[in-house]
Amino acid sequence: MNRFLSFLLVLLMLAAASLTVHKTLLGYSVIGNSKESLSEPVDTISVLEDGTMVVHTEYLPGTIEGYAGEVPLDIKIKDGVITGVEALPNVETPGFFKRASKLLGEWDGKTPEEVAEMKIDAVSGATFSSAAIINNVNIGAAYYAQTAVDRHTSIPVKLWVALVVTLAACVLPLFVKNKVYHTVQMIANVVVLGFWSGQFLDYAVMLRSFADGVALPGMLVIVVMLIAAFIYPLFGKPQYYCTHICPLGSMQQLMGSICGFKVKISAKVVKCLDWFRKILWACLMLLLWCDTFTSWMDLELFQAFQFRSASWWIIGAAILFIVLSAIVTRPYCRFVCPTGSLFKRSDNIG
């Protein structure tokens, strides 16, 4: 019963965060301006008469704010190619935003997949507005690429492979206790779920699921991961996702297996570090509920797997924790990870 109540509490936490950060829940606008209907779902993608699809980043979770507030964009895509990026009204300082607006043509003629490979520098003197534009285009393009799966009613090969790897991690460890298999599964998690397909759970993904609902079949892998993260603990399998599926956790575990030496951390220090994780998690959740500095969701180290678009310091921090995991067992998972802390609340442990 305690686990079930903890599970419901976590769902309420995420629902509240979705409402405060994205103003939507399961695709419906619940908190918004007077022009938005309370009974109709928010359209994140609309279609123009000529077939051009428009991604409205205003309604996408995980978007980055500029210096003064939100920087909504409309990304126009036709025949799989970006034909224009339009800035919508915002509260940025006009002079600074005008400088940053020079970036809007950088993505013309690029496919959403190519956007993820691009490295674009911020405009000098308009760093915050530039960063918001760059990141929001990346998020909008990634969202289009993901939902394109559903528009074509087929799943790309990489997602099929990711689904197989995820299902294997969900089922086989329940019956197979072989160390060799476990190592192979960890490697598959890192290579397939991490670097190749970029399928993993973090706050941005979870809030997107709560805000927009789950779009199948494109989010089938994410659905399976959510089941492992939230439903498995109800049946006596706590932290199953973290232990058997998470690519960052798997990478730390693999690194730890190559070094026999481990730093001995006293019980008192471990307790202090655990309290640090709890306090950090509580503060970050409070920021979500207050709709303040919500961009921390995009700073979770899982983003390092998408190294072509991740910032250098996120990559550096991820490398630091991975190297440290050679002598300290899964340090990021145990003492920092906000996503893992949420799962622990769901498990009603630690």
Side-chain angles (χ1 to χ4, degrees):
M1 178 61 72
N2 287 339
R3 290 185 183 277
F4 184 72
L5 291 176
S6 297
F7 168 67
L8 291 180
L9 179 60
V10 166
L11 291 185
L12 290 175
M13 288 179 178
L14 291 174
S18 172
L19 289 175
T20 55
V21 175
H22 304 300
K23 313 301 185 290
T24 59
L25 185 63
L26 299 179
Y28 289 85
S29 175
V30 180
I31 304 175
N33 58 48
S34 59
K35 295 180 181 180
E36 294 178 340
S37 170
L38 299 180
S39 61
E40 296 181 1
V42 172
D43 290 327
T44 52
I45 297 181
S46 60
V47 183
L48 303 181
E49 292 183 359
D50 64 352
T52 298
M53 307 194 78
V54 184
V55 179
H56 308 288
T57 67
E58 178 181 3
Y59 304 121
L60 295 181
T63 51
I64 307 298
E65 293 188 353
Y67 182 79
E70 295 183 355
V71 181
L73 306 172
D74 275 356
I75 305 172
K76 298 180 179 180
I77 303 172
K78 186 174 183 180
D79 298 327
V81 174
I82 294 176
T83 58
V85 177
E86 177 184 349
L88 301 181
N90 57 68
V91 294
E92 294 291 273
T93 303
F96 290 124
F97 192 75
K98 184 177 181 180
R99 294 182 193 173
S101 297
K102 297 176 182 178
L103 295 173
L104 296 175
E106 292 287 335
W107 296 275
D108 291 357
K110 303 294 184 180
T111 66
E113 291 75 16
E114 289 173 334
V115 170
E117 310 285 336
M118 297 175 66
K119 286 288 186 181
I120 297 178
D121 296 326
V123 175
S124 177
T127 304
F128 287 99
S129 296
S130 298
I133 291 174
I134 294 169
N135 283 284
N136 292 345
V137 169
N138 288 339
I139 291 168
Y143 180 81
Y144 176 90
Q146 179 71 42
T147 56
V149 172
D150 308 301
R151 290 190 296 274
H152 294 93
T153 64
S154 63
I155 301 181
V157 172
K158 66 168 58 177
L159 289 187
W160 278 117
V161 176
L163 179 60
V164 170
V165 170
T166 305
L167 288 173
C170 286
V171 176
L172 294 182
L174 301 176
F175 307 99
V176 180
K177 307 301 179 182
N178 184 280
K179 185 176 180 180
V180 174
Y181 156 71
H182 186 64
T183 300
V184 171
Q185 180 69 60
M186 296 296 103
I187 294 173
N189 292 344
V190 172
V191 175
V192 176
L193 302 182
F195 289 109
W196 191 38
S197 66
Q199 297 289 301
F200 44 75
L201 296 180
D202 59 11
Y203 266 87
V205 168
M206 289 186 290
L207 288 196
R208 183 183 73 187
S209 301
F210 270 78
D212 297 337
V214 175
L216 296 175
M219 293 184 69
L220 185 57
V221 178
I222 297 301
V223 170
V224 175
M225 289 182 175
L226 289 170
I227 291 172
F230 292 111
I231 305 302
Y232 271 40
L234 298 178
F235 297 92
K237 298 296 179 182
Q239 292 185 268
Y240 192 93
Y241 170 82
C242 299
T243 303
H244 298 286
I245 303 174
C246 176
L248 185 55
S250 297
M251 180 170 282
Q252 291 176 84
Q253 189 164 334
L254 288 170
M255 179 62 73
S257 67
I258 67 175
C259 180
F261 172 77
K262 293 291 182 290
V263 173
K264 293 183 179 179
I265 306 177
S266 69
K268 184 176 182 180
V269 173
V270 169
K271 187 175 181 179
C272 289
L273 290 172
D274 189 53
W275 270 107
F276 167 78
R277 174 184 58 79
K278 293 176 180 178
I279 293 171
L280 173 66
W281 175 74
C283 291
L284 294 177
M285 287 300 301
L286 186 61
L287 289 175
L288 289 182
W289 294 330
C290 295
D291 197 13
T292 304
F293 187 55
T294 58
S295 58
W296 70 258
M297 291 186 293
D298 300 290
L299 306 180
E300 290 193 85
L301 297 191
F302 308 106
Q303 304 302 322
F305 284 110
Q306 307 303 300
F307 58 89
R308 292 184 178 86
S309 57
S311 65
W312 65 268
W313 76 266
I314 287 182
I315 295 174
I319 292 173
L320 176 62
F321 273 101
I322 290 168
V323 171
L324 183 61
S325 65
I327 56 176
V328 178
T329 303
R330 296 173 71 128
Y332 184 75
C333 299
R334 294 167 63 198
F335 306 128
V336 180
C337 185
T339 295
S341 296
L342 180 75
F343 296 156
K344 286 187 178 185
R345 299 283 77 72
S346 178
D347 297 342
N348 194 35
I349 58 176

